[in-house]
Structures are given as C-alpha cells and as structure tokens.
Amino acid sequence: MSFDDAPGADGAAPAPAAASPFNFQTQYITTSPVKSNIGQRRGHRYKHSSISAQHQIFQEPPPRPPPVLPASLPVPTIREAWSSMQKDQRARLYWCLCHGLVATYIFFSASGSLAMTALSHLVFFDVGSAAICVAVDLLGNFEVWKRSSIRHPFGLQRAEVLAGFAMSVFLVFGGFDLLSHNLKHILESVGSHTPHHPHEHPGHGAPGRTISPGTVDMASLAAVLSTLMSAYGLKNHARIRRVMRVAYPAYLSSLLPDILANPFHFLTLCFSFLMLLLPLLSVSYFVWLDRLICAAIAVSMFVLGVRLAVAQGLMLLMSYSGRRGSSITSTSSLEDEKNGTSVASVVREIESEPAVSRVDEAQFWQVHYGLCMANLRVCVVRGCDDGTLSQLRTRVSRVIQNRLGEGYGKGGALRWEVTMQMSTDPN
C-alpha cells in the first residue's frame, strides 16, 4: 500500500476529490424553430389593452381612407374590344373596310392622272378619320376611356388628340408630295429637257387615264357616294368638324348644308363632282387641267393640315387659344372680342364682380375635345363670408362655361373645370 492510500493518523476516511468544471454529458439540440418572447410581457397579451397602450412607444398610424383615384385601370385587349362591340359599331367598322377598298380602287384607277391621285389622298384621309371615330366609340365602352386614374389622369381621351395630330401630319406631307410631283412634271415638260424617269400622263399619247366624253367616271362617282355615305349615313366625322371650323360668311352659313361645315367633306365632294362632271359635259381632259386640279387639292390639303396640326398640337401642349382654334385672324379676333368669347373679355368680366379686387393669375388650357380647365388665383375684398365666396365660385364657373364653352342649350359637349384660389386683399 502506498503512502497516499494510507489512512490518516486518526483512522478517518480520505477527503473526496474536487468537482470538475466541465460537463461531459451528451446534449441534444432540437430542430424546431425558437419561439421568441421579445416584446411580450406576462399579463399584457392584448396590444389594445390600456396598459399596453400606455407603455407602447411607437404608435400605429391611423387607418387611411381608400384612395379616390385608382392606381390604374385595365386596358381592353382586342378580344375584349371585339366582344363588347355593338351592332352599330360593327357596322361602322365594316364600312371603314369598304371605304378603304374604295380609296384603293380610286388610287389604282388614276393611271398617271395627278388629279385622281390627289383625290385618292383625300379619300384615304376620310378613311383614317372614320377609323379613328370607330376606335373612339369602341373604347368608350370601357371605363378606362373616361375615368381618371393615377396612371392616366384624363383617361385615354388624349389618345384621340394624338391620332388626330398624326392625321394632320399625313395631310401636310401628302400636300407636299403632290406639290413636288406636280412641280417636277411641269419642269420636265419645259423646253427640250428629256425626263430621266419617263412618266405616263393623260394626253401625251401614253396609256394614261382617258375618259370618253359623255360617260360616267366610276372612280369619281365612287368617291362621291362613299363620302355621302360616311357623312350622312354614319356621321363619322363629327369630332373633326368640332376641331376644324371654317368661318363662312353669315350669308353663306345659312345656305350651305350641314355636311359642308366639315372642310374635308367639302373638299372631297367638290373635286369629286368636278371630275365627275367634266366628262359628262364633254370637256376635254387636258394635261394643264389635270395639273391645276392636283395643285388645288394639294394646296388645300397643306393649308388644312397645318391648321389641324396647330390645333391638335396646342391641345397636346396643354394650351388654349380660343374657341376658333389657334389660327385666328384679326377679323375673328375682333368678332370674339365683341361677342365676349375671348379669354381677355372673360377675365375682365370676372374682375368686374363686386367681391373681386383683382385677378392675379389666370391659366386656360384644353385637355382634349371635350374638356378644358381654368386655374384662377383671385384676390377678393375684405369682409367676404363663406356664403359670398361660394356664390362667387359658382358665378365664375358659369361665366367661363357660357363664354368659352358651348353654353347652355347649344348642344355642345365642351366642359370646363374651374379651380379658384382665393386670397384677401390686404389693402
């Protein structure tokens, strides 16, 4: 027996060994998610209790009301648009296809005639205008067309203005193209110059377009009938008539029929009847007459295209230049000033109100064919109560609608939305 194992001197048992600081027993770690108790206190299980509300540092925001305007509205697909098409809308669409075939027939029946080529340009413009009207009527079946949203504040009605601007560009470039071709043919026929690219013209011995005297020109007759059908039968061009207003004299406006108020219908019918009557009256179809008719159509297309482009461009740029459009002559401006239909006369009438001290700012702009907006900042006199200010808003809105809009009882669809910001005159 060793010395360490020997009992003590007094015969007692040896002292126990010291406890080890390490635990060598096997530990099992669970794979279930750990449930955190952070932010929870015993006895306060409901966050809406009085004690919890007193000790909560970050309060929840109050519930917000639902937005008045939706973020966006669904745009219809082609299948949805076709399924929502009504009977009259389907008839208008089929007529557009037939009208396009008539325009194609007139174009290919020109056979070198510049006048008939120019007439086909007018008919093609009528087809495009009718197609735009059909698309507008079709999109009007859906909510996205007129209802405002955050993505489209004015709906999709400004797309009609953009399409009209594209048609005006077609008119301008079509007029330029016809004028350039006509001028090139005139220069090639001057002197002994031989054209590099020979053209076929009627009356030059080439197989051009020749109509026997006393016969009916079928292409001109088709242009007349298709235009009358589009104007009287289906009334496709009412929107373009609202934008393009020809200021006829007073003695002519009462004599001309309603269809001639649209300058595009007037041009198509006028030149179609002219080219239809020339063979019936046994008038020889000379080259100079063909070029003269082409030049007249080209100049008319260019002038009306520029006027339409300016009117549509001002709408796209959110501006307003009066009821008659941007191309206002001095005579029409004086007439508008006399009738009280100009912006300056409206502002003066607002300043003449007893409760108005002055008009600090007035902005007028047209959104699309049926909506205009007026933003006014008015300084009112002291001592006006809420009732007086409310009546002033109503009177100003009525003045703007009656003077600049179509007015009550005139059947117009132009609507004005007026916003007024009022401040008190310190003097």
Side-chain angles (χ1 to χ4, degrees):
M1 184 175 64
S2 63
F3 180 77
D4 294 336
D5 295 336
D10 53 356
S20 175
F22 303 101
N23 184 10
F24 295 102
Q25 295 181 0
T26 304
Q27 300 289 333
Y28 297 96
I29 301 176
T30 179
T31 58
S32 60
V34 180
K35 186 177 181 181
S36 176
N37 294 329
I38 300 176
Q40 297 182 2
R41 293 189 299 164
R42 184 177 300 176
H44 299 142
R45 300 180 60 183
Y46 302 99
K47 65 177 182 178
H48 295 293
S49 63
S50 59
I51 300 177
S52 177
Q54 292 176 2
H55 294 278
Q56 191 172 0
I57 299 176
F58 299 100
Q59 300 289 338
E60 292 186 359
R64 296 181 179 180
V68 179
L69 294 178
S72 62
L73 293 172
V75 179
T77 60
I78 298 179
R79 180 176 298 180
E80 293 174 350
W82 180 265
S83 61
S84 68
M85 194 177 295
Q86 301 175 3
K87 185 177 180 180
D88 57 339
Q89 295 173 349
R90 204 178 299 271
R92 289 170 184 264
L93 178 61
Y94 292 153
W95 167 248
C96 285
L97 298 178
C98 297
H99 205 174
L101 293 178
V102 171
T104 306
Y105 166 72
I106 296 173
F107 178 76
F108 284 105
S109 64
S111 300
S113 174
L114 293 177
M116 188 58 65
T117 304
L119 181 62
S120 67
H121 283 62
L122 288 177
V123 180
F124 272 120
F125 177 82
D126 292 343
V127 173
S129 303
I132 291 175
C133 294
V134 170
V136 168
D137 292 338
L138 185 58
L139 290 176
N141 299 335
F142 299 92
E143 192 179 18
V144 69
W145 178 252
K146 291 184 178 181
R147 186 179 176 185
S148 301
S149 62
I150 297 178
R151 186 174 183 179
H152 302 101
F154 305 104
L156 294 180
Q157 297 189 56
R158 283 178 62 82
E160 183 183 4
V161 182
L162 187 60
F165 183 77
M167 295 302 298
S168 65
V169 173
F170 168 79
L171 277 180
V172 173
F173 279 89
F176 265 125
D177 180 67
L178 293 173
L179 284 177
S180 63
H181 277 284
N182 202 1
L183 183 61
K184 182 174 65 175
H185 294 169
I186 292 175
L187 294 178
E188 287 177 351
S189 62
V190 173
S192 59
H193 173 71
T194 303
H196 299 285
H197 303 281
H199 302 279
E200 296 178 354
H201 303 291
H204 278 195
R209 186 174 186 272
T210 57
I211 302 297
S212 301
T215 59
V216 178
D217 188 0
M218 297 304 298
S220 301
L221 181 62
V224 171
L225 295 179
S226 61
T227 305
L228 290 176
M229 181 64 183
S230 180
Y232 278 113
L234 300 177
K235 301 178 181 179
N236 280 327
H237 300 167
R239 294 178 181 84
I240 298 180
R241 176 188 170 184
R242 290 203 307 266
V243 179
M244 295 294 298
R245 297 184 179 183
V246 179
Y248 292 114
Y251 62 91
L252 284 180
S253 59
S254 59
L255 299 177
L256 292 176
D258 186 61
I259 186 178
L260 298 183
N262 189 337
F264 304 106
H265 285 156
F266 175 77
L267 283 179
T268 306
L269 290 177
C270 178
F271 290 107
S272 298
F273 272 117
L274 177 62
M275 299 177 67
L276 180 64
L277 291 177
L278 287 179
L280 295 178
L281 298 177
S282 300
V283 177
S284 300
Y285 206 65
F286 297 105
V287 177
W288 64 268
L289 183 59
D290 181 80
R291 292 174 179 174
L292 181 62
I293 296 176
C294 175
I297 295 177
V299 171
S300 303
M301 288 177 60
F302 177 76
V303 172
L304 291 178
V306 169
R307 182 177 178 182
L308 181 59
V310 171
Q312 307 280 359
L314 289 175
M315 275 192 246
L316 292 176
L317 294 176
M318 294 290 194
S319 62
Y320 179 77
S321 60
R323 291 176 56 184
R324 297 180 181 268
S326 59
S327 57
I328 301 178
T329 60
S330 58
T331 305
S332 61
S333 298
L334 293 176
E335 184 180 352
D336 289 347
E337 189 74 20
K338 185 185 300 183
N339 297 333
T341 58
S342 63
V343 174
S345 62
V346 171
V347 173
R348 286 197 299 268
E349 186 172 354
I350 295 174
E351 289 179 341
S352 64
E353 291 286 337
V356 176
S357 175
R358 65 181 181 275
V359 177
D360 294 332
E361 185 179 356
Q363 296 180 355
F364 299 83
W365 45 291
Q366 187 169 1
V367 181
H368 49 77
Y369 296 133
L371 177 63
C372 293
M373 300 192 71
N375 304 324
L376 303 173
R377 193 171 64 184
V378 180
C379 185
V380 298
V381 297
R382 285 188 175 183
C384 294
D385 54 357
D386 295 339
T388 304
L389 297 180
S390 178
Q391 294 177 2
L392 178 62
R393 291 178 184 272
T394 304
R395 286 197 301 270
V396 169
S397 301
R398 188 183 300 114
V399 165
I400 293 177
Q401 179 66 40
N402 293 335
R403 297 292 186 271
L404 300 180
E406 302 295 337
Y408 178 76
K410 295 184 180 180
L414 187 61
R415 180 172 55 90
W416 278 86
E417 289 189 1
V418 182
T419 58
M420 290 182 59
Q421 181 181 358
M422 297 184 182
S423 60
T424 306
D425 191 1
N427 298 330

